[in-house]
């Protein structure tokens, strides 16, 4: 029985036909010939005759092949003809004629697309096979890419969530935040009259609304609970275009003096405290001793997104309309955080121009505003909410970009070394007539496949990185939605993967064009061309430069963070437990009642076993939940122009506060009972305030004009000077501080600081018991260690530093592998040359110098470039939300030494092997 | 035997018409044409196979490998919806052409 498959294969040549299709054709023709042969036998022919009869079915095999090719099984006629023309041109040494086909029919286009897709499929198949053949190469390349693309995708998803994605309010692009800018003090909350003026005078904004966050207590049914109160204008919630889940939001009639007290509850509070009671709307609840009617419930997940430092936390439990007339308040009392909604079609710059005009009008109409040098600033709510984290995120994103470039450089170098190995294969393919474009496409497909595989695996890594970031999250990032992998992030990952594939695949692919048979034959004994040599030198130079910049920046940030860990906040946070109370007006209507309660609480707590000292203060350091209290101060009798120029943080304290937090007295004394008995107005200031007003050091006994707790000005005598306390940030000295005795500045929200001998948490039950004995309806809230507040303050810096440190380490690892791999392999390629030189009597030292002269220049050039680039990085790093120390020579020198060491050892070790070995072995080396 | 060019011109139509009733494999089609034309029209494998490929490429027929018990697998072709429409159009055009040619041949002008 004849082997018809073999017979057809021997006779039918189908160049450019896809292999699978060719196999089908061969099989089908063989089948039909076999049918014909069988029929011949059946009809009584002998084997020989039947064979000949079957063979006669195809008398002209080339004509059949031609028919099949023209029938469109592999290439279209046009492609076939062009291929033939190109072949003829190549054979005769002419340039091929233009391949443009005028007036192509749509059917041809479809065929062309089908042919392209088919070619792509073939390329992909070939690329997968080529990668599978070199598993180690593929593994190393993919791991390198996973690191580069993974960190990039993770940081991008944070950037996307924090900086790019719109805020979770309808038409959030038109939301803006308005700040009053007072002289040198910078931005500040606005006063009631300012808000009213804005509403009256603006034409470009639909609405202005304001919020002021305070603490309150919910009593009545159940345990008393301290809640965050959002005191708001009646249009605040509707301006955000949120819809109530139940009931309604506020109406204009709910705002102002004399309005019936109404509240809106957060979804979480409604569920937690009222068991999601469907009939909550219309019920009365006791809020800070006052009976209020619930008019609505907010939807689940609603949160406020305000800039860090605005003292507006994301979660507020209860919203209450302002119960006073905003217009009638003093223009000095800035406490309202103002948001606005731009009219459709109006832009922020137009809005800013309008507010500039309004501020000008206010300054000319009111003396107070002129003295304060009032300006108004309007910013997009989204941009301002992220303004603190933006520089850090962008710096990190740039860092990950560097890591990605280093990964790409490494993979490009890997591919280049492989291109040397594959030079023969490529050259033979080209010599056999393969289209140069096709070879480039094939190599590019390989790198794209590699990068896409890396990109897909990187998604898993970035998911893991995001989980870690979630643990480290600083407040500015926590404010926005939880970060995860969404479509934007997936799109980014795909684009980055494709770009990487093109970036590291293009150069080796283009290099394949320059390859020709003659050069391969000529350079048979060499393994690297001059071309790839220069590409590698360039890649090493770039890689060293990028690593240099990353290492310098990381080292700088790590050192800054270590500095932050050591910074003295001005107090001792260890073993101090804190908690807050909010005295409701209804039950503590007079200052005397409040003073009596706070004093008694302090006295009782200090008698508890294990308690060393107890203090009370209106604002804890690093606590951003309540609005800060700061105002102007001046020397008694200061001329008018000096008055509204300097501001200080005002704090109301009981004398035990300084002792319990370990704040040191620089001069003078603490408050004492005799002050009160004699009804003396006294104040303690910090050293920086004392230095500002009395640089000669004679502050004690001087008299200072300050604001007391009732927004009323008072004159007090300086009796003590304490060390400055870092209230807002660990590094920035925002404002000086002054402390007033509680009896002189009674406030409703007070924090207790309890210093214990050890383990302050153990005191919590006894503290709660003691406070409940004093007032069972008063909630004890925010029970936290002072250490936790300090840790939070370090969080932002820790986030950036840990990530930068990690990026630096990754960059270092990748570039060490890259530099070492490439330098040592280029030294190894010179083994034979070394052997010849040694055989001719060259000295070891001379050989060493020769090799180093070849391998060190790109490392040195990279270091020089990196040095220049890192000088450019310093101003960028200074935009970070904490103070970064300038680049110092010690860091630069260490980075230089380290990278130099990597470069030297990469050259030194392989050449050492050659020198110590036998010259004959080196000579034999190919 | 007929003129080669006539054969060539009618090959596609014949193949399509033999696939109208049911799917068939390539050799079977050739054989049927030969038998039903009483051996006056016969296609060799080398001529018929490119026709099948061309028709498939144009989407008029579609081939599928089918393995029957005790036999090697064969490629069976069936008419696509497009092919059915094409066959109907071509068949009436062919009939019209033949009628026209007959009329011209039988007329006195010829």
């Amino acid at each position: 029985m004849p082997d018809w498959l073999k017979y057809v294969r021997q006779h039918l040549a189908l160049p450019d036909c896809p292999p699978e299709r060719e196999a089908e054709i061969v099989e089908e023709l063989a089948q039909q010939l076999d049918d014909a042969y069988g029929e011949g036998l059946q009809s009584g022919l002998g084997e020989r005759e039947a064979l000949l009869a079957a063979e006669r079915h195809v008398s002209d095999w080339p004509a059949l092949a031609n028919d099949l090719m023209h029938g469109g099984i592999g290439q279209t006629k046009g492609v076939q003809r062009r291929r033939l023309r190109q072949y003829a041109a190549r054979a005769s040494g002419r340039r091929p004629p233009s391949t443009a086909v005028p007036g192509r029919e749509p059917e041809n286009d479809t065929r062309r697309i089908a042919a392209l897709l088919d070619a792509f499929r073939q390329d992909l198949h070939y690329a997968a096979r080529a990668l599978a053949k070199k598993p180690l190469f593929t593994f190393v390349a993919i791991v390198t890419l996973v690191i580069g693309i993974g960190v990039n995708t993770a940081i991008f998803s944070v950037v996307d969530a924090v900086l790019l994605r719109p805020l979770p309010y309808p038409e959030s692009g038109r939301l803006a935040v308005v700040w009053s800018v007072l002289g040198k003090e910078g931005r500040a909350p606005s006063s009631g009259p300012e808000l009213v003026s804005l509403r009256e005078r603006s034409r470009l904004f639909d609405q202005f609304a304001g919020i002021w966050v305070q603490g309150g207590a919910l009593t009545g049914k159940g345990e008393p609970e301290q809640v965050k109160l959002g005191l708001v204008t009646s249009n605040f919630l509707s301006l955000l275009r949120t819809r109530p889940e139940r009931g309604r939001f506020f109406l204009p009639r709910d705002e102002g003096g004399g309005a019936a007290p109404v509240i809106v509850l957060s979804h979480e509070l409604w569920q937690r405290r009222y068991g999601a009671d469907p009939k909550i709307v219309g019920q009365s609840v006791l809020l800070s001793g006052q009976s209020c009617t619930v008019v609505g419930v907010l939807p689940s997940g609603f949160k406020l997104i305000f800039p860090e430092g605005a003292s507006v936390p994301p979660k507020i439990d209860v919203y209450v309309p302002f119960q006073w007339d905003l217009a009638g308040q003093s223009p000095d009392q800035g406490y309202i955080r103002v948001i606005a909604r731009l009219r459709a079609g109006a832009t922020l710059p137009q809005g800013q121009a309008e507010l500039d005009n309004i501020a000008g009008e206010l300054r000319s109409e009111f003396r107070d505003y002129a003295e304060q040098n009032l300006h108004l600033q309007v910013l997009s709510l989204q941009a301002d909410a992220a303004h603190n984290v933006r520089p850090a995120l962008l710096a990190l994103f740039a860092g990950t970009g560097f890591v990605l470039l280093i990964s790409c450089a490494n993979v490009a170098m890997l591919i280049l070394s492989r291109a040397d190995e594959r030079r023969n294969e490529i050259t033979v393919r080209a010599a056999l007539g393969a289209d140069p474009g096709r070879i480039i496409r094939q190599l590019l497909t390989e790198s794209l496949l590699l990068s896409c595989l890396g990109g897909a695996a990187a998604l898993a890594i970035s998911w893991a990185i995001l989980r870690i970031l979630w643990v480290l999250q600083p407040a500015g990032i926590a404010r926005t939605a939880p970060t995860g992998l969404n479509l934007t992030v997936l799109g980014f990952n795909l684009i980055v993967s494709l770009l990487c594939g093109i970036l590291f695949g293009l150069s080796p692919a283009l290099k394949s064009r320059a390859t020709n048979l003659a050069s391969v034959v000529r350079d048979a004994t060499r393994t690297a061309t001059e071309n790839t040599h220069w590409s590698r030198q360039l890649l090493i130079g770039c890689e060293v430069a990028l690593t240099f910049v990353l290492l310098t920046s990381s080292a700088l940030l790590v050192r800054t963070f270590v500095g932050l860990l050591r910074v003295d906040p001005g107090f001792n946070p260890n073993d101090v437990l804190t908690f807050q109370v909010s005295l409701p007006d209804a039950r503590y209507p007079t200052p005397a009642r409040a003073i009596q309660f706070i004093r008694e609480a302090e006295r009782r707590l200090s008698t508890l076993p294990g308690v060393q000292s107890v203090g009370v203060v209106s604002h804890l350091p690093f606590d951003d939940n309540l609005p800060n209290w700061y105002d102007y101060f001046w020397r008694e009798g200061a001329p008018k122009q000096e008055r509204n120029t300097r501001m200080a943080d005002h704090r109301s304290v009981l004398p035990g506060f300084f002792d319990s937090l370990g704040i040191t007295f620089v001069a003078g004394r603490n408050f004492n009972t005799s002050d009160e008995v004699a009804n003396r107005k006294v104040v303690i200031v910090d050293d920086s305030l004392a230095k500002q007003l009395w640089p000669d050091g004679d502050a004690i006994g001087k008299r200072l004009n300050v604001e007391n707790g009732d927004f009323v000005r008072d004159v007090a005598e300086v009796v003590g000077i304490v060390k400055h306390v870092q209230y807002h940030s660990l590094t920035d000295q925002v404002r000086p501080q002054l402390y007033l005795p509680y009896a002189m500045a009674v406030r409703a929200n007070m924090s207790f600081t309890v210093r214990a001998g050890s383990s302050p948490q153990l005191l919590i039950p006894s503290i709660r018991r003691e406070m409940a004995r004093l007032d069972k309806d008063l909630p004890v809230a925010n029970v936290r260690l002072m250490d936790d507040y300090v840790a939070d303050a370090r969080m932002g810096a820790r986030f950036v530093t840990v990530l930068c440190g990690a990026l630096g380490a990754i960059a270092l690892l990748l570039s060490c592998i890259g530099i070492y791999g490439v330098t040592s392999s280029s030294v190894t390629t010179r083994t034979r040359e070394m052997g010849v030189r040694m055989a001719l009597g060259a000295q070891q030292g001379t050989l060493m110098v020769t090799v180093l002269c070849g391998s060190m220049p790109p490392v040195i050039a990279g270091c020089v470039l990196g040095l220049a680039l890192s000088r450019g990085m310093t101003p960028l790093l200074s935009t970070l939300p904490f103070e970064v120390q300038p680049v110092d020579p010690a860091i630069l020198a260490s980075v230089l030494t380290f990278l130099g060491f990597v470069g030297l050892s990469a050259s030194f070790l392989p050449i050492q092997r050659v020198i110590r070995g036998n010259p004959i072995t080196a000579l034999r080396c190919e | 035997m007929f003129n080669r060019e006539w054969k060539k011109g009618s090959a596609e139509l014949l193949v399509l018409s033999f696939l109208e009733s049911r799917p068939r494999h390539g050799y079977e089609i050739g054989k049927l044409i030969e038998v039903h034309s009483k051996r006056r029209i016969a296609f060799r494998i080398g001529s018929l196979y490119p026709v099948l490929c061309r028709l498939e490429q144009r989407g008029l027929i579609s081939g599928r490998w089918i393995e029957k018990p005790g036999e090697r697998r064969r490629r069976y072709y069936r008419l696509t919806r497009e092919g059915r429409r094409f066959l109907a159009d071509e068949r009436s055009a062919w009939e019209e052409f033949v009628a026209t040619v007959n009329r011209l041949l039988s007329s006195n002008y010829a």
Side-chain angles (χ1 to χ4, degrees):
Chain A
M1 180 130 168
D3 183 350
W4 289 109
L5 278 173
K6 192 174 163 195
Y7 175 79
V8 176
R9 254 191 235 114
Q10 276 171 353
H11 288 83
L12 185 69
L14 294 170
D16 285 335
C17 176
E20 295 83 2
R21 182 72 184 118
E22 187 178 356
E24 283 194 325
I25 292 172
V26 170
E27 185 181 350
E28 197 177 356
L29 282 172
Q31 177 74 58
Q32 295 197 20
L33 290 173
D34 194 44
D35 284 343
Y37 173 71
E39 197 187 281
L41 289 179
Q42 273 183 2
S43 65
L45 293 180
E47 275 189 23
R48 174 85 189 136
E49 286 78 18
L51 190 74
L52 288 173
E55 282 180 2
R56 268 200 300 275
H57 266 280
V58 190
S59 49
D60 189 351
W61 285 98
L64 173 61
N66 197 34
D67 275 357
L68 290 173
M69 293 311 290
H70 285 192
I73 49 156
Q75 303 283 343
T76 58
K77 277 185 195 175
V79 172
Q80 185 75 10
R81 274 196 218 112
R82 277 205 299 284
R83 189 57 49 78
L84 284 171
R85 278 207 300 274
Q86 281 168 357
Y87 179 72
R90 212 178 291 138
S92 63
R94 280 187 289 112
R95 275 175 64 83
S98 163
T99 51
V101 183
R104 185 187 295 281
E105 291 166 19
E107 192 191 0
N108 277 350
D109 277 345
T110 323
R111 282 191 194 173
R112 210 168 129 240
I113 290 166
L116 273 177
L117 281 178
D118 199 52
F120 175 68
R121 196 183 51 77
Q122 279 182 55
D123 286 345
L124 207 59
H125 182 74
Y126 189 82
R129 265 183 25 202
L131 292 182
K133 261 194 219 161
K134 291 272 177 185
L136 186 66
F137 160 82
T138 310
F139 176 76
V140 173
I142 287 183
V143 167
T144 313
L145 286 170
V146 164
I147 295 171
I149 302 177
V151 289
N152 243 276
T153 309
I155 297 299
F156 174 78
S157 66
V158 180
V159 169
D160 173 54
V162 179
L163 303 182
L164 303 180
R165 218 180 294 162
L167 299 178
Y169 311 115
E171 294 179 70
S172 61
R174 282 162 54 199
L175 288 176
V177 55
V178 180
W179 292 98
S180 298
V181 180
L182 305 174
K184 285 180 285 179
E185 276 303 318
R187 64 197 213 172
S190 305
S191 66
E194 281 161 36
L195 177 55
V196 174
S197 307
L198 283 171
R199 282 176 167 176
E200 285 169 356
R201 300 174 191 225
S202 166
R203 298 281 166 275
L204 291 175
F205 290 88
D206 267 339
Q207 291 183 66
F208 289 88
I211 183 168
W212 185 40
V213 179
Q214 291 290 291
L218 276 176
T219 48
K221 284 181 209 160
E223 286 281 303
E225 180 177 351
Q226 181 158 348
V227 288
K228 287 197 187 85
L229 293 183
L231 304 174
V232 291
T233 53
S234 61
N235 64 341
F236 182 82
L237 293 169
S238 51
L239 184 144
L240 293 175
R241 299 265 163 96
T242 314
R243 289 178 184 283
E245 180 168 320
R246 277 172 190 277
R248 62 167 175 91
F249 288 154
F250 303 123
L251 301 172
R253 64 161 195 261
D254 297 326
E255 189 184 330
V262 291
I263 59 172
V264 167
L265 303 180
S266 76
H267 188 271
E268 291 71 22
L269 182 75
W270 173 56
Q271 293 214 313
R272 187 178 68 235
R273 191 171 174 90
Y274 302 101
D277 178 6
K279 292 183 189 149
I280 188 76
V281 173
Q283 286 187 20
S284 290
V285 299
L286 266 182
L287 176 64
S288 303
Q290 189 185 22
S291 171
C292 305
T293 311
V294 178
V295 292
V297 177
L298 277 159
S300 143
F302 174 81
K303 60 182 172 181
L304 295 179
I305 299 175
F306 267 69
E308 209 178 331
S311 302
V312 180
K315 293 279 180 189
I316 285 180
D317 306 297
V318 180
Y319 289 84
V320 188
F322 285 132
Q323 299 289 310
W324 50 81
D325 175 28
L326 291 176
Q329 290 186 306
S330 156
D332 279 351
Q333 294 175 25
Y335 63 96
I336 306 175
R337 278 70 181 169
V338 177
I339 54 169
R341 185 175 277 277
L342 269 172
R343 269 185 207 289
T347 62
L348 268 184
Q350 289 169 343
Q352 179 62 58
E354 189 188 56
L355 293 199
D356 286 343
N357 286 339
I358 294 175
E361 287 168 21
L362 292 176
R363 283 197 305 274
S364 59
E365 289 168 29
F366 301 97
R367 214 185 52 207
D368 282 337
Y369 292 135
E371 280 173 6
Q372 291 172 353
N373 191 18
L374 171 82
H375 285 79
L376 295 166
Q377 183 187 34
V378 61
L379 298 159
S380 134
L381 181 59
Q382 174 166 29
D384 203 31
H387 82 278
N388 252 0
V389 286
R390 181 193 302 271
L393 272 185
L394 292 182
L396 278 178
F397 196 43
T400 58
F402 279 22
V403 170
L404 186 66
L405 286 177
I406 294 174
S407 313
C408 283
N410 268 8
V411 178
M413 286 193 273
L414 271 175
I415 291 185
L416 276 178
S417 353
R418 216 171 143 234
D420 286 340
E421 289 170 22
R422 294 178 66 180
R423 206 153 62 103
N424 287 354
E425 170 205 332
I426 292 168
T427 315
V428 169
R429 280 179 66 182
L432 289 178
D435 190 355
R438 181 69 194 264
I439 293 179
I440 291 178
R441 214 169 62 201
Q442 172 60 51
L443 292 175
L444 262 185
T445 310
E446 248 178 76
S447 30
L448 285 177
L449 178 66
L450 208 54
S451 64
C452 286
L453 286 175
L459 283 179
I461 294 288
S462 47
W463 185 84
I465 295 175
L466 278 179
R467 298 275 81 73
I468 298 171
L469 294 190
W470 201 231
V471 179
L472 291 173
Q473 56 170 326
I477 286 174
R479 219 179 286 277
T480 52
T483 49
L485 301 175
N486 56 18
L487 273 182
T488 321
V489 176
L490 290 181
F492 173 82
N493 172 280
L494 184 68
I495 291 171
V496 166
S497 306
L498 292 178
L499 282 180
C500 282
I502 293 171
L503 191 66
F504 64 68
L506 200 60
S507 149
L510 287 179
K511 232 151 233 102
S512 72
R513 290 179 63 156
T515 314
N516 62 56
L517 190 60
S519 74
V520 172
V521 175
R522 199 170 54 238
D523 304 338
T525 52
R526 290 170 59 183
T527 51
T529 61
E530 283 300 303
N531 253 341
T532 51
H533 173 72
W534 280 110
S535 306
R536 284 172 175 182
Q537 304 280 69
L538 189 68
L539 284 171
I540 292 186
C542 292
E543 196 161 306
V544 170
L546 290 171
T547 312
F548 194 100
V549 176
L550 261 185
L551 276 185
T552 321
S553 314
S554 312
L556 208 56
L557 287 173
V558 171
R559 212 186 56 180
T560 304
F561 184 62
V562 172
L564 274 186
L565 288 178
R566 289 195 193 135
V567 84
D568 177 14
F571 61 94
N572 175 11
N574 300 332
D575 295 327
V576 175
L577 187 77
T578 71
F579 65 90
Q580 290 170 359
V581 293
S582 176
L583 304 178
D585 279 349
R587 281 185 291 117
Y588 298 89
T590 60
R593 285 285 300 280
I595 295 168
Q596 187 202 350
F597 174 83
I598 293 288
R599 283 250 174 81
E600 183 59 17
E602 187 203 29
R603 192 191 64 75
R604 287 201 191 181
L605 294 183
S606 43
T607 59
L608 287 176
V611 172
Q612 287 185 345
S613 55
V614 178
V616 185
V617 65
S618 55
H619 297 77
L620 282 173
F622 306 124
D623 178 17
D624 191 30
N625 274 327
L626 285 177
N628 187 24
W629 175 25
Y630 58 103
D631 212 312
Y632 294 106
F633 67 91
W634 57 85
R635 280 178 297 147
E636 186 189 27
K640 215 159 200 185
Q641 63 273 19
E642 265 184 37
R643 287 184 183 174
N644 283 339
T645 52
R646 291 188 170 121
M647 281 184 153
D649 285 335
H650 288 44
R651 303 290 177 250
S652 169
V653 296
L654 284 196
F657 170 70
F658 301 105
D659 193 24
S660 65
L661 270 198
I663 298 171
T664 1
F665 273 84
V666 178
R669 61 165 175 88
N670 200 340
F671 302 129
N672 57 35
T673 39
S674 70
D675 294 332
E676 209 173 320
V677 173
N679 201 17
R680 280 164 65 186
K681 307 272 186 184
V682 283
V683 61
I684 291 173
V685 298
D686 76 350
D687 46 1
S688 85
L689 189 149
K691 210 177 283 169
Q692 275 185 31
L693 287 192
W694 300 284
D696 299 334
D698 50 351
I700 303 291
K702 294 289 187 316
R703 291 171 69 77
L704 197 61
N705 192 310
V706 296
E707 187 199 39
N708 72 17
D710 302 325
F711 296 108
V712 177
R713 302 223 60 98
D714 225 330
V715 175
E717 181 193 337
V718 178
V719 292
I721 302 171
V722 290
K723 254 180 78 176
H724 178 80
V725 170
Q726 300 293 137
Y727 265 96
H728 307 284
S729 123
L730 277 167
T731 47
D732 297 344
Q733 275 212 10
V734 180
R735 283 180 213 93
Q737 292 121 21
L738 57 86
Y739 300 88
L740 299 166
Y742 184 64
M744 189 177 149
V746 174
R747 297 179 73 87
N749 295 300
M750 294 302 284
S751 300
F752 283 74
T753 49
V754 182
R755 175 169 293 281
S758 62
S759 312
Q761 292 98 327
L762 299 178
L763 292 171
I764 296 173
S766 48
I767 288 176
R768 281 193 188 280
R769 208 167 35 242
E770 212 53 52
M771 292 303 286
R773 259 183 219 154
L774 267 172
D775 182 344
K776 69 175 172 46
D777 286 336
L778 189 74
V780 170
N782 291 341
V783 185
R784 282 185 85 187
L785 292 178
M786 200 61 232
D787 271 331
D788 293 344
Y789 284 102
V790 179
D792 279 359
R794 288 189 180 123
M795 195 78 114
R798 194 178 75 175
F799 179 75
V800 179
T801 309
V802 169
L803 284 184
C804 269
L807 286 183
I810 293 169
L812 186 62
L813 183 74
L814 285 178
S815 25
C816 280
I817 295 170
I819 296 167
Y820 189 87
V822 171
T823 311
S824 64
S825 91
S826 67
V827 171
T828 313
T829 54
R830 297 179 68 180
T831 307
R832 191 161 180 271
E833 176 199 335
M834 295 298 124
V836 173
R837 287 178 183 233
M838 277 160 70
L840 292 175
Q843 293 296 310
Q844 291 190 358
T846 325
L847 284 182
M848 202 77 94
V849 170
T850 317
V851 170
L852 291 183
C853 283
S855 62
M856 285 308 280
V859 178
I860 294 167
C863 284
V864 172
L865 184 62
L867 197 64
L869 284 175
S870 36
R871 291 188 76 86
M873 287 296 285
T874 317
L876 283 180
L877 289 176
S878 65
T879 61
L880 291 177
F882 45 88
E883 201 177 312
V884 177
Q885 296 156 5
V887 180
D888 69 9
I891 289 183
L892 290 179
S894 340
V895 173
L896 264 176
T897 318
F898 189 81
L899 288 177
F901 172 76
V902 173
L904 274 177
S905 55
S907 321
F908 187 73
L909 294 179
I911 193 65
Q912 191 72 4
R913 264 203 310 274
V914 177
I915 289 173
R916 288 207 180 140
N918 188 346
I920 301 301
T921 322
L923 272 172
R924 283 191 191 133
C925 174
E926 278 272 321
Chain B
M1 291 292 274
F2 296 122
N3 182 329
R4 263 181 73 174
E5 291 305 312
W6 294 356
K7 245 173 70 178
K8 222 171 158 184
S10 59
E12 288 187 358
L13 191 57
L14 289 174
V15 169
L16 291 174
S17 71
F18 276 94
L19 290 178
E20 201 176 7
S21 54
R22 64 183 182 86
R24 300 178 196 278
H25 60 82
Y27 189 74
E28 185 186 2
I29 301 169
K31 209 65 221 161
L32 284 172
I33 296 174
E34 195 180 330
V35 171
H36 287 278
S37 68
K38 302 202 168 55
R39 304 183 65 89
R40 300 186 65 183
I41 303 176
F43 289 101
R44 293 185 174 185
I45 296 172
S47 333
L48 198 65
Y49 187 67
V51 176
L52 285 170
C53 288
R54 206 159 50 233
L55 289 172
E56 186 174 23
Q57 183 71 25
R58 285 165 61 191
L60 300 177
I61 61 175
S62 83
R64 193 176 157 197
W65 289 100
I66 290 179
E67 207 166 332
K68 293 190 173 166
E71 286 181 20
R72 275 196 300 188
R73 64 177 195 156
R74 289 173 191 280
R75 198 163 165 85
Y76 278 78
Y77 295 90
R78 61 171 184 78
L79 269 190
T80 60
R81 184 180 299 183
E82 185 100 336
R84 217 166 272 285
R85 204 176 303 133
F86 180 81
L87 175 62
D89 292 349
E90 287 294 291
R91 184 178 269 152
S92 58
W94 177 264
E95 281 162 2
E96 203 181 320
F97 171 72
V98 172
T100 310
V101 173
N102 285 344
R103 201 170 59 243
L104 290 172
L105 289 177
S106 62
S107 72
N108 294 328
Y109 321 116

